[in-house]
Amino acid sequence: MLVLILDMKVVEMIVLDVAQNKSRVDLLVVKLLRDTGVAATISTDSMEFRVAVQKFVYLLQVVGGLDLGFKFEWLSMGPYSRGLQNHYQRISRTLVSNADSVAEFNDVEQSALDAVKRLLSSLEKSVARLDVKVLEIAASLIMLCRDVYPKPLDPVEELMMRKNLPREDVVRIWSAIDKLSICR
Amino acid sequence: MIRFAFREASRMHSVKRIYDEVHGYIELSEVELKIVESTVFQRLRFIKQLAAAWYVYPGATHTRFSHSLGAMHIMGLVASRLIDLGYVHSVDDVQLLRLAALLHDIGHTPFSHAIEPFYKHRLGVGHEDLSKIVILESSSIREVLSSYGYDPKTIAALLEGRYREPLYNQLLSSDVDVDRMDYLLRDALHTGVAYGSIDLQRIIATLVVDGEGNLAILDKGIDALENFYLARLHMYRTVYYHKTLVGYEMMLRKIYEYMNDYAEDPLLPKSREDIVRIARSGEIVLWHDDWFLGMMIDMYRKGRCRELKELIEAFFSRKGYKVVVDRSRFDMNPIDIEGDRDIVVLREIISSVKGRVEPHQIALFVDDIKILDEDPYIAPRVIVDGRASVPIVDVENSVVRSVPRRYHIKRLYVISSRWQDVKDYLAVRGL
């Protein structure tokens, strides 16, 4: 939880996750959902939508270097942030209403979006598709090589040991990540 | 009292036992005893589990010390069941998990959650970050862990949910984790809120892991799981977000803010580096409720700041913030902070009473409490008919489906000395 003191003259405690730069996350995620074409393949009330939101935000923070203030845990489906539960609905509303069409991004945000898109474009070339499963595999491999402790010797083998995934896809996705030096 | 056959005692060599009011005897291994004996851990004896809840529930004087022992004990029970089922890999892992549970609150601020948001807002440092700092920077904790072959970074990773084994992360942080299991039982006992209690035995006895590696409950344990959620809902409303209790917590937070402006003390850290410094130097052992109360008395006597003096006096005489308007309610959706009509009204009221109350005499509190993790991604699962693993929120006939997902708290408080005046003013205006 994050405390937001909106008016220092009055003791005002808004004890919420929805605060400060976290409010920008909605626009950033919608931008990625649209630009990558993932939005067109999933329904906003589906599990896939939530997975996509989780993985896009993780990639924006880790690959894009944007501090959106979300903490990610290493769970069975890869990186997961509880704080994002507060955002699914807002992101869905923004997507449906096209409220993002007039959104402007500052240089740091644009640079983060570009970095994530570069990675996703590279992944798409490697496995000939970009869907939620590819996002899940990529985000999991990156978390394994960057955040998980103790660091596994081989992220591919670590992921394969835990998940029933097509090995060929995992290897190709890892190869694309490795080429971009994301884990070094 | 919850008493179990202590199965993990046979796995780990116990060198001491401590009698606990919730669990009965809690056994400690050698490394656990060394941790408990350290001054950094003993500090937790001086931090009340429920901040100033004793102003509402006189018996709620229990501490982070007993809760930490309780969480460790429950972790031992859970891990012992999971080692039998093959999901926890070794007795050494059981010890690792117990140590993580024991240390999960080691960094708590004085007055627990009353003061913690101050650091979260100012420095972006929550109590989990503080625990990590203490584990990695306090030589007494670090050296004990290292001398017994435990990597402090591994404990920190477990507490941050970054450990390599996702299941272990879930045991420490999920809707039904060992922290929650202990604090619900302990807080219900000490407040006397009978409907806040849970069936720990049944939950643990039916705990399993599904095919995806998620914690799950066998369907024969579903009543215990449902009761867990209902107990939590009751505790949120009657204890954790009790209107008077929240008022005193806000008052303590406001006093702490003023104190940071008017007092110089190494235990009033202004940056993350300051926190690291007091953890390294060992000064942190005095950073607790009693130190803060002493500072309050000192500041009251010195009287350097009129507003601070008034707040301290109000706190000690139990004439703190009282609710003048309460628009709290259960809801199924997250709060819309910008568009919420109640919040707009409360802010309008604040503007309208300017001149009647001084800024430090009025306080707005808004929070959005998640009653359960509705995300199927992480919601606790139930093994139905021995096969399908289904999120509890999707189990047909489960009462959890009807439990409200959120508790939106929207309250306006005014200090007791100005409360009647504001109440009358609002009544005249039909508010």
Side-chain angles (χ1 to χ4, degrees):
Chain A
M1 291 194 297
L2 189 72
V3 178
L4 173 62
I5 311 284
L6 294 171
D7 178 357
M8 288 301 285
K9 289 177 185 153
V10 175
V11 185
E12 185 161 357
M13 308 285 177
I14 309 283
V15 192
L16 296 168
D17 278 328
V18 186
Q20 293 170 334
N21 54 348
K22 284 190 178 176
S23 62
R24 297 292 293 171
V25 77
D26 306 356
L27 294 172
L28 290 158
V29 170
V30 170
K31 178 79 176 158
L32 285 175
L33 279 164
R34 273 197 215 291
D35 290 0
T36 58
V38 171
T41 66
I42 52 175
S43 155
T44 53
D45 54 10
S46 66
M47 172 78 166
E48 284 74 22
F49 173 75
R50 294 176 174 218
V51 176
V53 169
Q54 289 281 341
K55 305 318 175 198
F56 277 139
V57 175
Y58 179 74
L59 295 176
L60 279 166
Q61 290 199 162
V62 175
V63 179
L66 205 54
D67 183 10
L68 295 166
F70 292 96
K71 287 198 168 177
F72 283 84
E73 296 169 69
W74 175 240
L75 298 179
S76 62
M77 288 182 77
Y80 180 83
S81 172
R82 276 162 220 283
L84 281 168
Q85 286 186 40
N86 292 332
H87 291 260
Y88 295 143
Q89 247 184 23
R90 289 155 51 114
I91 292 170
S92 166
R93 275 205 302 264
T94 306
L95 189 64
V96 172
S97 68
N98 287 318
D100 59 305
S101 55
V102 291
E104 287 181 10
F105 299 102
N106 61 36
D107 292 348
V108 178
E109 290 169 338
Q110 193 56 55
S111 156
L113 286 167
D114 292 344
V116 174
K117 282 190 207 169
R118 258 196 312 278
L119 166 70
L120 298 178
S121 160
S122 174
L123 297 179
E124 193 168 11
K125 279 179 200 148
S126 300
V127 289
R129 68 180 200 283
L130 183 61
D131 56 20
V132 176
K133 193 46 107 182
V134 173
L135 286 177
E136 187 185 327
I137 294 171
S140 298
L141 287 168
I142 293 172
M143 186 154 194
L144 277 167
C145 74
R146 285 185 58 135
D147 301 329
V148 166
Y149 189 87
K151 190 174 173 174
L153 286 175
D154 184 343
V156 171
E157 292 310 316
E158 184 74 19
L159 192 59
M160 290 304 301
M161 186 176 76
R162 300 187 183 284
K163 304 278 289 180
N164 184 19
L165 296 165
R167 175 175 285 274
E168 197 179 339
D169 281 356
V170 177
V171 171
R172 284 183 177 178
I173 290 169
W174 174 244
S175 171
I177 292 168
D178 201 33
K179 276 184 195 149
L180 292 172
S181 304
I182 289 167
C183 292
R184 285 172 211 156
Chain B
M1 182 173 299
I2 312 297
R3 285 207 177 91
F4 274 71
F6 196 81
R7 295 203 56 204
E8 78 266 36
S10 60
R11 302 177 197 279
M12 284 170 17
H13 182 60
S14 164
V15 295
K16 177 150 179 115
R17 57 185 190 172
I18 296 175
Y19 195 79
D20 177 69
E21 74 274 27
V22 176
H23 304 291
Y25 281 117
I26 291 180
E27 310 273 346
L28 297 179
S29 68
E30 204 173 298
V31 59
E32 290 161 357
L33 179 61
K34 294 273 187 204
I35 295 282
V36 169
E37 284 177 342
S38 70
T39 50
V40 176
F41 192 88
Q42 290 290 319
R43 180 182 80 98
L44 301 181
R45 286 187 190 272
F46 300 93
I47 298 178
K48 303 275 191 302
Q49 174 74 11
L50 292 177
W54 40 264
Y55 252 167
V56 175
Y57 297 101
T61 55
H62 54 303
T63 65
R64 293 272 153 195
F65 181 88
S66 56
H67 164 60
S68 298
L69 290 174
M72 177 197 73
H73 174 74
I74 295 178
M75 180 62 93
L77 298 171
V78 170
S80 292
R81 171 163 172 82
L82 295 180
I83 204 171
D84 286 344
L85 297 172
Y87 296 109
V88 167
H89 308 307
S90 64
V91 175
D92 208 39
D93 278 6
V94 176
Q95 178 63 90
L96 185 69
L97 286 163
R98 278 176 58 106
L99 285 168
L102 182 66
L103 290 166
H104 81 283
D105 273 351
I106 193 73
H108 246 296
T109 60
F111 282 104
S112 298
H113 295 296
I115 304 300
E116 183 196 355
F118 173 83
Y119 288 102
K120 191 120 187 184
H121 170 63
R122 284 224 175 157
L123 308 176
V125 177
H127 84 266
E128 298 92 347
D129 305 301
L130 289 165
S131 292
K132 180 183 171 187
I133 290 172
V134 174
I135 290 165
L136 298 180
E137 304 294 345
S138 161
S139 57
S140 56
I141 299 291
R142 210 178 53 227
E143 283 165 15
V144 169
L145 290 172
S146 300
S147 68
Y148 283 87
Y150 295 98
D151 176 5
K153 285 183 185 164
T154 302
I155 305 284
L158 274 163
L159 297 182
E160 288 184 310
R162 293 188 297 108
Y163 188 65
R164 194 168 163 178
E165 197 63 59
L167 176 66
Y168 294 6
N169 296 329
Q170 279 188 63
L171 294 176
L172 281 152
S173 174
S174 64
D175 245 8
V176 193
D177 61 26
V178 297
D179 178 25
R180 284 179 172 85
M181 285 194 241
D182 184 78
Y183 76 58
L184 282 175
L185 281 168
R186 197 170 298 277
D187 298 344
L189 175 72
H190 285 273
T191 54
V193 177
Y195 34 84
S197 201
I198 61 168
D199 187 352
L200 180 65
Q201 290 204 40
R202 188 72 172 169
I203 291 173
I204 295 178
T206 54
L207 202 61
V208 291
V209 177
D210 72 7
E212 293 287 313
N214 300 302
L215 272 180
I217 295 279
L218 296 173
D219 47 10
K220 61 185 177 185
I222 195 166
D223 293 297
L225 189 57
E226 289 173 348
N227 171 251
F228 175 92
Y229 280 111
L230 294 173
R232 213 167 102 181
L233 184 148
H234 289 308
M235 288 299 279
Y236 277 133
R237 193 158 57 172
T238 56
V239 179
Y240 306 133
Y241 291 91
H242 184 285
K243 60 184 170 55
T244 309
L245 198 153
V246 167
Y248 280 100
E249 288 192 355
M250 278 204 295
M251 181 155 268
L252 282 170
R253 205 174 306 160
K254 190 65 194 165
I255 290 170
Y256 201 82
E257 276 178 43
Y258 270 108
M259 213 172 269
N260 268 268
D261 293 338
Y262 287 91
E264 280 301 324
D265 192 291
L267 296 180
L268 289 169
K270 306 285 193 293
S271 64
R272 190 185 181 92
E273 291 68 36
D274 285 350
I275 298 171
V276 170
R277 201 170 298 128
I278 62 170
R280 280 185 185 160
S281 68
E283 286 170 285
I284 200 168
V285 301
L286 296 178
W287 200 41
H288 50 55
D289 295 8
D290 292 5
W291 160 80
F292 184 44
L293 291 172
M295 286 291 287
M296 284 167 65
I297 293 168
D298 190 43
M299 293 305 286
Y300 179 76
R301 284 178 174 158
K302 285 177 178 157
R304 279 190 198 145
C305 169
R306 181 182 58 81
E307 293 88 347
L308 176 57
K309 186 166 180 164
E310 183 184 350
L311 291 172
I312 294 172
E313 187 170 335
F315 181 83
F316 281 127
S317 56
R318 205 184 182 277
K319 295 195 183 305
Y321 292 134
K322 276 179 77 175
V323 172
V324 278
V325 184
D326 190 349
R327 298 278 178 102
S328 306
R329 63 184 166 84
F330 287 114
D331 204 288
M332 294 306 278
N333 299 307
I335 202 166
D336 175 9
I337 197 83
E338 288 91 10
D340 190 281
R341 182 66 200 146
D342 292 330
I343 297 175
V344 172
V345 169
L346 293 176
R347 285 193 172 133
E348 284 170 1
I349 292 173
I350 290 172
S351 297
S352 75
V353 297
K354 269 182 189 164
R356 286 183 176 274
V357 287
E358 293 184 63
H360 68 282
Q361 295 173 327
I362 187 165
L364 173 65
F365 183 83
V366 177
D367 204 349
D368 181 5
I369 313 304
K370 193 152 44 67
I371 304 291
L372 75 151
D373 274 327
E374 69 262 46
D375 200 335
Y377 215 128
I378 55 160
R381 289 172 171 267
V382 177
I383 306 296
V384 180
D385 296 332
R387 288 177 284 117
S389 171
V390 182
I392 179 82
V393 285
D394 293 337
V395 173
E396 215 177 324
N397 295 327
S398 171
V399 295
V400 171
R401 289 170 74 109
S402 311
V403 169
R405 303 296 192 252
R406 303 276 176 156
Y407 183 27
H408 296 175
I409 308 176
K410 296 169 274 189
R411 294 188 193 130
L412 186 61
Y413 288 83
V414 169
I415 201 163
S416 293
S417 59
R418 304 296 304 144
W419 185 83
Q420 194 60 55
D421 183 43
V422 172
K423 196 79 180 164
D424 293 345
Y425 172 81
L426 296 179
V428 168
R429 276 147 192 83
L431 292 165

